[in-house]
């Protein structure tokens, strides 16, 4: 019987095929006591070694299929697998509680996963899936249970699963697998990121699709809209096969825009940049034609350590990205690096943070760094040193006052003075900017523009704070909407304030990569858009088709609307006519 399901469009495309229902054999964990702890320790070691060998093989295949940048994901997996602190913790559980290797390992991993799962930053929160991937493989190997091989599935398969781990996704045979769908997950999960790299359609977060389908059922996956149709009619199949062809044709046309600049019909050049989470993402940025990085999240450096990363470690991570971002003539593209955005519900195991009732409004990001200036100074010194190897810009998160800007600038000047005295080269004119993600900065942007060199709008938090909606709370997720007239007014105020103060302003929130919003943001005067690399070509195409005057007329109409529905109707009318 025909069913229609809605999910999150994680990797674009359209597919019409048959279900391969991917379900692992259930793992039974014995919770009893085991007197012979040595046997359990041996099982733990043997399971770890088998897991390592499997991951090395998957890494090798991924490198051949996707390149070293994506294969590096598994270097992180292997590093965690060999983490002695984790291993010793699990061994202690076996010894002290006399429990099975599986039971101890499950408990040991759970603490790490819980920490990541409760983070505010979606990118970091999704890293818990990576840890679960390692744990599952390790547990299955201890128990002697075979892991399903996804590299040899029937032709025209659409994999349907509760979740897909990075190692699952890396093994998909692209000759036979044409899409995948999951119950859980988000756009920033590594499986979603890898799906975009593989250019395979993916819809995630459907809720319960694994309970609604059977093996070999016909299914349509529209990963442009997040729609799934189970047992479609003949007419629907024809319609979606035509939509698939149109999408692939457009995709080929978009590839021709890779080396083009985003210049509107009336000659206005706009920056079209990408966001990254680590140096491993650079190849995807360059492949998709982004002419800069509008947000380099540095949290991975802090989360992947059992201590604060040293100045040297940070320097190397920033330097490699700065050096990589240049054109054929050797000119460097801008690399905007955000300082540490940890705190509140983004905890670090080696840093004592207070328990807070409202972590979104708590001790976090720049607030921590100004209270603990040694953290910020170490990062500033690393950034300054790396600036000698490319075009680095420094960006401060979670700013609410001019005083914070001035304190940060004073620390930056201290670091410059120290490096000069040490004879270390750096960019003397390095730019310092702030993220606009609170109403306090958005509505008084012109005053902040006198203090810093540039702005970047973080729409995820700006939406949350403007609407007083916790974006992680499922009960009110329907209220979280960047198209809300109040949020659009905040964005317009920030852009106007930047220009009145004589500085540039970009956007690095998810909203920047939403093709539906390009015209209204361009019409507001946004100088640069920064997004997931896969969205670059589409946004670039939209800008090439726009004219400033006509887009400004759209903005005037949109800002007069009273509801989100009215805003979207106006934007959609414009897009249908001009884009």
């Amino acid at each position: 019987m025909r069913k229609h399901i809605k999910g999150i469009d994680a990797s674009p495309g359209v597919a019409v095929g048959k279900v391969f229902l991917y379900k692992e054999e259930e793992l039974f964990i014995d919770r009893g006591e085991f007197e012979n702890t040595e046997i359990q320790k041996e099982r733990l070691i043997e399971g770890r070694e088998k897991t390592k060998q499997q991951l090395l093989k998957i890494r090798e295949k991924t490198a051949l299929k996707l390149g070293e940048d994506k294969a590096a994901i598994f270097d992180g997996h292997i590093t965690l697998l060999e983490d002695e602190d984790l291993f010793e913790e699990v061994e202690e559980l076996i010894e002290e509680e006399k429990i099975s290797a599986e039971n101890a390992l499950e408990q040991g991993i759970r603490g790490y996963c819980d920490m990541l799962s409760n983070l505010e930053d979606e990118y970091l929160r999704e890293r818990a899936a990576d840890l679960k991937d390692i744990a599952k493989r390790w547990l299955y190997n201890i128990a002697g249970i075979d892991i399903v091989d996804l590299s040899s599935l029937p032709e025209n398969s659409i994999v349907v699963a509760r979740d897909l781990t990075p190692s699952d996704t890396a093994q998909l045979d692209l000759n036979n697998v044409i899409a995948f769908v999951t119950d859980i997950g988000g756009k920033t999960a590594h499986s979603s990121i890898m799906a975009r790299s593989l250019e395979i359609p993916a819809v995630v977060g459907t809720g319960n699709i694994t309970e609604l389908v059977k093996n070999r059922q016909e299914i349509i996956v529209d990963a442009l809209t997040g729609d799934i149709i189970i047992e479609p009619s003949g007419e629907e199949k024809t319609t979606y096969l035509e939509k698939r062809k149109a999408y692939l044709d457009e995709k080929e046309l978009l590839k021709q825009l890779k080396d083009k600049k985003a210049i509107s019909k009336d000659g206005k050049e706009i920056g079209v940049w990408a966001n990254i989470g680590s140096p491993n993402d650079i190849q995807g940025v360059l492949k998709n034609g982004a002419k800069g990085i509008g947000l380099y999240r540095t949290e991975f450096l802090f989360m992947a350590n059992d201590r604060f990363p040293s100045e040297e470690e940070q320097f190397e991570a920033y330097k490699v990205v700065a050096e990589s971002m240049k054109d054929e003539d050797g000119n460097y593209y801008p690399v905007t690096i955000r300082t540490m955005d940890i705190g509140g519900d983004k905890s670090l195991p080696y840093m004592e943070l207070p328990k807070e009732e409202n972590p979104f409004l708590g001790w976090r990001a720049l607030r921590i760094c100004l209270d603990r200036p040694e953290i910020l100074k170490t990062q500033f010194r690393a950034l300054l040193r790396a600036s000698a190897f490319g075009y680095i810009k420094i960006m401060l998160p979670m700013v609410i006052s001019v005083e914070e800007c001035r304190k940060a600038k004073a620390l930056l000047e201290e670091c410059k003075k120290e490096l000069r005295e040490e004879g270390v080269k750096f960019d003397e004119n390095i730019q310092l900017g702030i993220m606009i993600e609170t109403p306090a900065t958005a509505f008084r942007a012109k005053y902040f523009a006198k203090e810093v060199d540039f702005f970047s709008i973080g729409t995820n938090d700006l939406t949350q704070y403007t609407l007083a909606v916790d974006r992680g709370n499922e009960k009110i997720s329907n209220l979280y909407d960047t198209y809300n007239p109040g949020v659009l007014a905040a964005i317009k105020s920030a852009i106007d304030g930047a220009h009145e103060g004589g500085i540039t302003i970009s956007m690095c929130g998810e909203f920047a990569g939403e093709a539906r919003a390009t015209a209204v943001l361009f019409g507001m005067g946004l100088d640069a858009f920064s997004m997931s690399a896969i969205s670059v070509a589409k946004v670039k195409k939209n800008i090439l088709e726009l004219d400033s005057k006509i887009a400004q007329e759209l903005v005037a109409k949109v800002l007069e609307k009273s509801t989100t529905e009215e805003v979207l109707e106006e934007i959609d009318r414009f897009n249908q006519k001009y884009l």
Side-chain angles (χ1 to χ4, degrees):
M1 189 175 73
R2 182 190 183 280
K3 293 188 184 73
H4 175 253
I5 299 166
K6 193 78 174 174
I8 299 166
D9 48 315
S11 178
V14 179
V16 180
K18 293 191 175 181
V19 169
F20 177 84
L21 191 56
Y22 174 48
K23 286 187 176 180
E24 292 281 5
E25 185 178 337
E26 190 172 349
L27 176 69
F28 170 74
I29 295 179
D30 194 327
R31 308 290 180 187
E33 285 193 10
F34 291 81
E35 288 300 325
N36 194 334
T37 57
E38 291 306 313
I39 289 178
Q40 297 306 317
K41 289 178 188 176
E42 286 172 17
R43 294 177 69 230
L44 184 71
I45 293 168
E46 288 169 5
R48 180 169 72 166
E49 184 55 32
K50 188 173 181 181
T51 301
K52 181 181 177 180
Q53 295 308 314
Q54 290 171 350
L55 290 174
L56 285 169
K57 286 180 182 177
I58 293 168
R59 190 206 184 286
E60 187 180 348
K61 287 181 182 178
T62 306
L64 291 171
K65 193 187 297 184
L66 294 175
E68 278 295 321
D69 59 318
K70 291 297 177 287
I73 290 170
F74 298 103
D75 291 335
H77 286 204
I78 293 166
T79 299
L80 182 64
L81 186 68
E82 296 178 327
D83 185 310
E84 285 306 314
D85 289 338
L86 171 63
F87 189 77
E88 287 171 11
E89 183 181 326
V90 175
E91 274 200 322
E92 282 179 18
L93 284 169
I94 291 172
E95 188 68 44
E96 292 173 6
E97 299 187 20
K98 298 190 184 314
I99 56 178
S100 68
E102 297 95 320
N103 193 357
L105 179 60
E106 185 188 49
Q107 289 184 41
I109 288 283
R110 190 185 302 141
Y112 285 78
C113 289
D114 287 348
M115 177 191 73
L116 286 171
S117 297
N118 291 320
L119 297 181
E120 172 199 344
D121 188 300
E122 186 181 4
Y123 180 85
L124 293 170
R125 194 166 61 235
E126 293 288 2
R127 299 292 70 77
D130 300 350
L131 298 183
K132 288 172 183 172
D133 182 10
I134 301 158
K136 183 190 82 171
R137 187 170 288 277
W138 194 351
L139 285 166
Y140 273 57
N141 283 328
I142 292 171
I145 298 174
D146 291 333
I147 296 169
V148 177
D149 182 8
L150 290 173
S151 63
S152 55
L153 300 185
E155 189 178 358
N156 220 34
S157 289
I158 293 175
V159 175
V160 178
R162 167 123 181 101
D163 192 17
L164 283 181
T165 66
S167 59
D168 291 333
T169 313
Q171 291 181 80
L172 295 176
D173 177 4
L174 299 185
N175 293 318
N176 295 327
V177 177
I178 58 173
F180 73 75
V181 186
T182 63
D183 288 342
I184 63 175
K187 285 190 176 185
T188 55
H190 258 145
S191 55
S192 298
I193 293 168
M194 291 183 74
R196 293 194 286 272
S197 299
L198 290 164
E199 299 187 0
I200 179 173
V203 174
V204 300
T206 60
N208 65 340
I209 190 167
T210 52
E211 298 172 12
L212 302 175
V213 296
K214 296 175 183 175
N215 266 317
R216 309 311 294 159
Q217 264 187 320
E218 286 201 316
I219 186 173
I220 289 171
V221 175
D222 184 347
L224 302 175
T225 61
D227 289 294
I228 296 157
I229 301 173
I230 301 167
E231 294 191 343
S233 66
E235 186 178 342
E236 283 174 324
K237 283 167 63 178
T238 301
T239 299
Y240 278 93
L241 285 170
E242 289 172 357
K243 184 173 183 178
R244 179 176 181 274
K245 183 179 183 304
Y247 167 75
L248 293 174
D249 289 345
E250 183 188 38
K251 191 175 172 183
E252 284 304 308
L253 287 172
L254 289 174
K255 283 181 181 178
Q256 299 172 22
L257 301 179
K258 177 180 177 290
D259 299 317
K260 281 195 174 185
K261 293 181 177 179
I263 301 175
S264 67
K265 284 187 172 180
D266 58 322
K268 188 174 181 181
E269 184 174 346
I270 302 295
V272 182
W273 305 335
N275 300 335
I276 65 170
S278 81
N280 298 330
D281 299 331
I282 288 296
Q283 288 307 311
V285 171
L286 297 172
K287 173 186 168 186
N288 285 281
K291 305 300 182 186
I293 291 172
L295 172 62
Y296 178 1
R297 305 176 184 91
T298 60
E299 286 73 53
F300 83 99
L301 281 166
F302 296 85
M303 301 301 300
N305 262 303
D306 57 2
R307 53 175 170 70
F308 282 105
S310 69
E311 179 182 324
E312 198 62 31
E313 287 171 323
Q314 293 191 54
F315 163 69
E316 290 295 339
Y318 307 148
K319 174 176 172 278
V320 69
V321 173
E323 287 179 320
S324 302
M325 289 300 295
K326 59 184 175 182
D327 63 21
E328 293 176 354
D329 299 322
N331 299 311
Y332 289 101
Y333 296 127
V335 176
T336 309
I337 303 181
R338 183 175 70 187
T339 59
M340 187 189 82
D341 193 6
I342 295 287
D345 64 348
K346 270 190 198 173
S347 59
L348 294 174
Y350 51 86
M351 184 181 182
E352 288 187 12
L353 292 170
K355 296 275 186 184
E356 297 177 311
E357 288 188 15
N358 294 303
F360 288 114
L361 310 178
W363 195 53
R364 52 173 294 206
L366 187 61
R367 296 170 181 178
I368 291 177
C369 290
L370 292 178
D371 286 347
R372 296 271 305 273
E374 72 279 3
I375 297 172
L376 189 56
K377 283 192 68 176
T378 299
Q379 190 161 28
F380 274 165
R381 282 178 58 93
L383 288 164
L384 286 166
R385 288 173 57 198
S387 71
F389 298 88
Y391 177 15
I392 284 178
K393 301 163 71 175
I394 303 173
M395 184 162 65
L396 306 171
M398 192 62 183
V399 174
I400 63 165
S401 71
V402 164
E403 291 87 344
E404 289 172 330
C405 298
R406 291 175 181 170
K407 287 177 184 176
K409 282 195 294 184
L411 288 173
L412 184 62
E413 289 304 317
E414 281 182 32
C415 294
K416 287 182 179 180
K417 184 173 181 291
E418 290 171 4
L419 292 175
R420 286 190 201 104
E421 290 171 353
E422 294 167 21
V424 177
K425 291 183 179 179
F426 61 89
D427 178 6
E428 288 281 359
N429 299 311
I430 194 167
Q431 294 183 42
L432 180 69
I434 64 171
M435 289 191 73
I436 303 290
E437 48 190 343
T438 65
T441 50
F443 291 108
R444 287 180 58 82
K446 67 179 181 180
Y447 299 101
F448 286 85
K450 297 173 185 176
E451 303 291 331
V452 295
D453 300 305
F454 68 92
F455 290 157
S456 182
I457 303 172
T459 48
N460 296 349
D461 270 341
L462 183 59
T463 302
Q464 172 174 253
Y465 293 135
T466 302
L467 300 180
V469 171
D470 176 356
R471 58 191 171 99
N473 187 332
E474 292 182 4
K475 289 185 180 295
I476 53 172
S477 60
N478 62 306
L479 301 177
Y480 178 87
D481 191 347
T482 307
Y483 288 101
N484 180 286
V487 179
L488 294 179
I491 292 170
K492 182 67 164 60
S493 176
I495 294 171
D496 289 346
H499 293 158
E500 189 175 338
I503 66 172
T504 58
I505 182 167
S506 62
M507 177 180 288
C508 61
E510 290 296 324
F511 202 54
E514 194 162 325
R516 191 181 194 182
T518 305
V520 74
L521 293 174
F522 172 76
M524 285 182 178
L526 193 66
D527 297 306
F529 295 66
S530 191
M531 64 208 76
S532 296
I534 199 170
S535 303
V536 165
K538 182 67 176 176
V539 170
K540 195 183 288 188
K541 174 180 176 289
N542 284 350
I543 290 167
L544 288 165
E545 294 176 355
L546 289 168
D547 175 274
S548 296
K549 186 179 178 182
I550 296 171
Q552 287 163 8
E553 290 172 0
L554 166 66
V555 172
K557 292 177 182 176
V558 162
L559 292 178
E560 289 177 354
K561 302 303 177 185
S562 302
T563 68
T564 297
E565 187 178 358
E566 291 170 2
V567 165
L568 290 172
E569 285 174 358
E570 193 65 52
I571 290 173
D572 288 345
R573 270 195 298 270
F574 180 95
N575 289 344
Q576 285 165 15
K577 184 174 181 180
Y578 294 102
L579 301 180

